[in-house]
Amino acid sequence: MDATEDTNTSKQYALFHKILRESKHVAILSGAGLSAESGVPTFRGPGGYWRRFVATQLATPEAFKENPSRVWQFYHYRRNGMLTKQPNPAHKALSKYRRLVDSKQAGETTTFTVITQNIDELTPRDVDPIEMHGSLFRIRCTACGRREQNRDNPICEALRGTEDIEKEEANIPIEKLPSCSGCGGLMRPDVVWFHENLDEDIMKRISDVLRECDLFLVVGTSAIVYPAAGFAERVKMKGGKVVEFNIEATMDEEDVDMRFVGPCGQTLPKALRVDGME
Ligand code: BV8
Ligand code: ZN
């Protein structure tokens, strides 16, 4: 198949539907573009900034060590921003397709796995996504490692109102930042920062998925951040097919078998044949 064929034609959808029905192990890698139509800013779009910082400057252990008050204000801003965000048709399509597979109504497909780079927890829980970069709504103790789910807004009194980026950046003393209910240690967002290793068990689970995968859908990601950016190649090397869903052609020509160019809230439900499903 030549990926340069005009994408999104009914002919291309029909071809994809045939491939999908005949694939045994379907996997998805999703990025910020999956949540874009829910109003969640992507990293490399205009939303990739907070005050005068680029997100990638704040999502590092060095930044947290040097200025935990600033990094917590960045995560509070994103947690607070998620209050008004809902799953969009692309998220819902994942849930619907998972139901089709589980009820053996998806042709030869026997497994469907969603690997997400997103930490927004918008991917429905019934999809049981592999959240490889952690979650905005989980925190962990820097001292004893205790992990907690936490959706409090604000997560601590000192962060209240700091989401207003018109105001001066606050300088919150460490003792007023979220602290561990077990040992009193400083809590941090339970996410994978740049220059941090990913969870070994998660990487093992992902390797098992990629080994089996015969159809890999890359949805809404700029495919820049490793190790996620290297997953498609591992599927291709074993003869699996790779299909990109993005608003612009992003992955290299030779790395994709097909592309659906457009908002994934429109292309994904159609491609997974769940657009008519409740
Ligand atoms: C690691 C959680 C081993 C935090 C994230 C030098 C020194 C050290 C490391 C490195 C180095 N050079 C490279 C590395 C590795 C580094 C890396 O890859 N850096 C990049 C910048 C080159 N990776 C790491 O550090 C990883 N760990 O390698 O450990 C190690 C250890 C020590 C030393 C060396 C190596 C950890 C990476 C995880 C970082 N954490 N998130 C948080 O979110 O706050 S990554 C974060 O950025 C996101 O999770 C996501 O993964 C990434 C953003 O990417 P995307 O999701 O793709 O979003 P983006 O905005 O870029 O793109 C959106 C796409 O959607 C676009 O293509 C757009 O066109 C499309 N789109 C928009 N709207 C729509 C749409 N598509 C469809 N429909 C729409 N409507
Ligand atoms: Zn602790």
Side-chain angles (χ1 to χ4, degrees), residues 140-148 179-187:
R140 83 165 182 269
C141 179
T142 55
C144 74
R146 181 195 185 100
R147 272 190 166 84
E148 284 169 14
S179 58
C180 175
S181 51
C183 75
L186 174 62
M187 296 301 273

Side-chain angles (χ1 to χ4, degrees), residues 30 48 51 65-66 72 93 97 108 123 131 134 138 144 147 160-162 165 173 178 189 192 230 243 248 274 278:
S30 63
R51 291 181 182 269
K65 198 168 160 55
E66 196 217 312
W72 258 117
Y97 191 65
E108 324 245 318
T123 302
E131 295 174 323
R138 227 182 22 244
C144 74
R147 272 190 166 84
R160 186 179 299 282
T162 62
I165 50 177
V192 180
V243 180
E248 55 197 16
V274 293
E278 249 324 290

Side-chain angles (χ1 to χ4, degrees), residues 7 38-39 47 56 95 97 102 123 125 139 170 198 263 277:
T7 73
S38 299
T56 45
S95 222
Y97 191 65
D102 290 349
T123 302
R125 302 296 90 192
I139 50 176
L198 282 79
M277 258 175 81

Side-chain angles (χ1 to χ4, degrees), residues 46-208:
Y49 292 82
W50 174 76
R51 291 181 182 269
R52 61 187 188 286
F53 304 100
V54 186
T56 45
Q57 287 172 293
L58 296 163
T60 73
E62 296 81 8
F64 188 70
K65 198 168 160 55
E66 196 217 312
N67 193 332
S69 161
R70 173 171 297 161
V71 174
W72 258 117
Q73 288 175 69
F74 171 53
Y75 283 92
H76 164 70
Y77 176 75
R78 291 167 70 190
R79 288 163 58 101
N80 183 67
M82 285 307 299
L83 288 180
T84 56
K85 308 294 185 292
Q86 296 299 325
N88 69 54
H91 293 110
K92 292 176 186 160
L94 302 178
S95 222
K96 293 174 185 173
Y97 191 65
R98 177 70 193 254
R99 284 207 304 276
L100 278 185
V101 173
D102 290 349
S103 56
K104 310 252 182 294
Q105 297 172 58
E108 324 245 318
T109 308
T110 52
T111 65
F112 175 58
T113 313
V114 173
I115 303 164
T116 187
Q117 300 176 83
N118 300 340
I119 63 172
D120 57 28
E121 288 200 7
L122 278 180
T123 302
R125 302 296 90 192
D126 62 6
V127 170
D128 187 23
I130 300 178
E131 295 174 323
M132 64 183 286
H133 291 154
S135 164
L136 259 184
F137 300 107
R138 227 182 22 244
I139 50 176
R140 83 165 182 269
C141 179
T142 55
C144 74
R146 181 195 185 100
R147 272 190 166 84
E148 284 169 14
Q149 196 67 27
N150 180 304
R151 280 186 171 270
D152 297 347
N153 187 53
I155 187 166
C156 66
E157 209 33 52
L159 282 165
R160 186 179 299 282
T162 62
E163 64 278 5
D164 176 357
I165 50 177
E166 298 306 312
K167 276 197 239 161
E168 252 317 273
E169 182 185 332
N171 189 0
I172 304 169
I174 203 156
E175 58 276 9
K176 293 208 178 308
L177 289 172
S179 58
C180 175
S181 51
C183 75
L186 174 62
M187 296 301 273
R188 59 166 275 180
D190 190 19
V191 298
V192 180
W193 279 328
F194 287 97
H195 315 161
E196 286 191 318
N197 282 307
L198 282 79
D199 176 279
E200 263 174 44
D201 297 342
I202 284 186
M203 288 311 285
K204 165 89 180 59
R205 206 174 144 203
I206 290 174
S207 291
D208 293 346

